[in-house]
Amino acid sequence: MLSTNTYKIPISMDQRPETLLDQARWLLAERAAETAVVLIEHENEQRLSYTEFFTGAARFAGALEAAGVRPGDLVVLVLQHGEPVLSGFWGALLLGAVPSIFSFLTDKLDRARYFDSVRQMVEHSGVRVVIASPDLHAPLTEHLSGIESLAAVLNLEAISGNQAAVSETQLQEYLHRHAAQADDTAFLQHSSGSTGLQKGVMLSHRSVLNQVASYSAAINLTPEDVVVSWLPLYHDMGLIAGFIMPILQGIPLILMSPFQWVRDPKILLWAIHRHRGTLCWLPNFAYNFLATRVRPAALNDLDLSSLRAVINCSEPVYAESHRAFLEQYAYYGFRETALATCYAMAENTFAVTQSVLGTAPRFDAVDRRALMEDRRAVPVEGDVAAMTFVSCGQPIPNCEIKIVDEQRQPLPERAVGEIALRSTFMLSGYYRRPEATTDVMAAGWYFTGDMGYMAAGELYITGRKKDLIIVGGKNVYPQDIENLLNDIPGLHPGRAVAFGIFNEQLGTEDIAIVAEADAEDPEARADIMREIRGRVAQSTDVMARYVHLVGAKWLIKTSSGKVARRANREKFLSEVLNKSPEQR
């Protein structure tokens, strides 16, 4: 049962904080000179104490206040990784405004689509101020012109240049000015769909503090822990596990840019080595990435023995990815018992479940046919054709899970159905999207759209109800890809289907596209395939590994005339990739 009382934050205050600002005041009073954050940029490290951290936030609060920001206003940060995005986020909180970190433009994204998505979000949400990096200030100013709610698009360079020094008195004034209430919205987390209007997940101060306290208890967080992270802050895993939780708990946080990490993944390992990191969160693909993209010659004298948990979260967990990582790094002191798993989502602030730290996650081998045909996870042993799932652990304190059928009625243990949850740290709703909130919430329960089953009190994820494709931690919706292709010359409009295929080597999914082509000339078909790949790369920031053109009547349709995604995936696996059911 859910407790009627909030878990207190175990590491800091003896009395329960009501808001994030309560905890900020405590940190500044009790931990002023201690290290809050170490920012790694290439070979340089910038160390910020709690006094320096909150002083930077107060400087941003002054800039936002001068721009007309008031309590309750929505402030969007479109900034690269670094101190400004941290300070801007907390600066908005000091004013009682509602910050939200939005994904930034990359070279792989289509600029027009990106700016269009930002405009939709800003206009729909009634954003008051946008803080933009210097390179994005001019185009964002142009694309966001005419939005009635928007007071300003602030140039980060100008803000930084005009910020005056903040005295101790001014800092205390900012810390005590806004009388936030526990149920006020603290910030928004935006959904990570590749196109279209993103949903802003409203999280109250109470929900965030409850999550931090419950999750801290689930992972046995202690004052000796050190969190090391490269995760982007516009994703719930990076925002909560890699920013909010360690800051609120007074745990040293070591941060680096996700772009720098992708270019040079060993920097994470050496940061763990230098700072004696104990906790790190990774999406599944990162285990494979680290296992295959770092040369042994770059690891001389590396010591990973300080790690007590590397927690796999944000995309489906695969046993082979854990094995590959362990095989590569056991020599450097990494222990198998430090492998851990978590199931999380922005709508629950972050964590839903967590495996027991100090014990490797459980594997569950189940009969493939029973799972596919009867939707039952029947345990098997020996040579029987099986699918192996990795446990995501048990619900964290003050969170409940049930598995439900299509009518949202509870299912028994090992029956596969939709995962529903309720907790003391759920979203208040989707910002200005009451219809979207109603679709997924009923009687205090949130219906996730993910599929799975419970066994011996632990959760196993089997798939995604709406066929979401997760590529390297990025959520890509098949219908978005399909819509991109409708006007390509030579393709039959509406006759394309996209789906994910797991890549065992990389530990993440590949995108596959099957499309009906009118053209038969080989050169014309080659041009079509290049256009498909280019559009997908520009609009979703991921690559399509498989592009397969077919003739009329190849695609399977439903009785209503729609292309049947799952049926066509099975046909593609069978007829094109020649995979047997046991290999899929």
Side-chain angles (χ1 to χ4, degrees), residues 256-277:
M256 63 205 71
S257 163
F259 291 122
Q260 186 183 355
W261 176 79
V262 167
R263 290 191 296 268
D264 188 12
K266 71 177 183 293
I267 64 171
L268 175 71
L269 305 170
W270 283 107
I272 292 168
H273 170 96
R274 287 195 307 275
H275 295 277
R276 307 308 294 156

Side-chain angles (χ1 to χ4, degrees), residues 193-363:
S194 55
T195 60
L197 183 61
Q198 298 183 331
K199 297 192 289 282
V201 177
M202 294 189 295
L203 297 171
S204 69
H205 289 267
R206 187 193 306 277
S207 288
V208 175
L209 290 172
N210 284 355
Q211 164 73 203
V212 167
S214 287
Y215 194 46
S216 296
I219 61 174
N220 302 313
L221 196 69
T222 75
E224 287 70 44
D225 277 313
V226 176
V227 172
V228 185
S229 179
W230 59 265
L231 300 167
L233 300 182
Y234 54 80
H235 187 281
D236 60 293
M237 181 164 60
L239 182 63
I240 304 301
F243 179 32
I244 298 296
M245 182 177 71
I247 289 292
L248 289 179
Q249 291 285 42
I251 301 299
L253 171 62
I254 317 301
L255 274 180
M256 63 205 71
S257 163
F259 291 122
Q260 186 183 355
W261 176 79
V262 167
R263 290 191 296 268
D264 188 12
K266 71 177 183 293
I267 64 171
L268 175 71
L269 305 170
W270 283 107
I272 292 168
H273 170 96
R274 287 195 307 275
H275 295 277
R276 307 308 294 156
T278 63
L279 294 169
C280 183
W281 283 259
L282 297 175
N284 191 84
F285 88 92
Y287 291 77
N288 296 71
F289 195 74
L290 286 163
T292 59
R293 300 296 180 90
V294 181
R295 293 179 291 106
L299 301 176
N300 290 336
D301 300 322
L302 178 72
D303 181 7
L304 299 179
S305 63
S306 63
L307 281 168
R308 67 183 186 91
V310 176
I311 301 173
N312 196 330
C313 191
S314 92
E315 63 178 2
V317 177
Y318 294 98
E320 286 304 318
S321 300
H322 280 195
R323 292 191 186 103
F325 186 86
L326 181 63
E327 182 177 322
Q328 175 76 351
Y329 293 107
Y331 176 81
Y332 304 99
F334 182 78
R335 299 176 298 276
E336 183 177 10
T337 54
L339 292 167
T341 57
C342 174
Y343 172 61
M345 60 187 54
E347 286 83 354
N348 202 46
T349 303
F350 177 55
V352 178
T353 66
Q354 174 63 49
S355 65
V356 177
L357 268 60
T359 304
R362 295 179 180 176
F363 295 167

Side-chain angles (χ1 to χ4, degrees), residues 14-65:
D14 292 331
Q15 293 187 339
R16 191 173 66 208
E18 296 294 329
T19 71
L20 304 190
L21 300 182
D22 291 340
Q23 188 69 356
R25 289 188 285 269
W26 183 90
L27 289 164
L28 198 56
E30 300 294 328
R31 306 284 180 89
E34 296 181 20
T35 298
V37 184
V38 177
L39 292 166
I40 297 176
E41 185 173 357
H42 302 295
E43 302 301 320
N44 301 317
E45 292 189 353
Q46 179 186 9
R47 187 178 296 266
L48 298 175
S49 68
Y50 282 96
T51 294
E52 292 167 330
F53 179 84
F54 286 113
T55 297
R59 285 197 297 268
F60 265 85
L64 290 170
E65 190 172 32

Side-chain angles (χ1 to χ4, degrees), residues 11 49 55 140 166 257 291 316 320 336 357 386 400 434 438 459 477 538 552 575:
I11 293 175
S49 68
T55 297
L140 278 173
V166 174
S257 163
E320 286 304 318
E336 183 177 10
L357 268 60
E400 290 182 316
T438 301
L459 178 67
Y477 291 88
Q538 288 179 342
E575 297 185 11

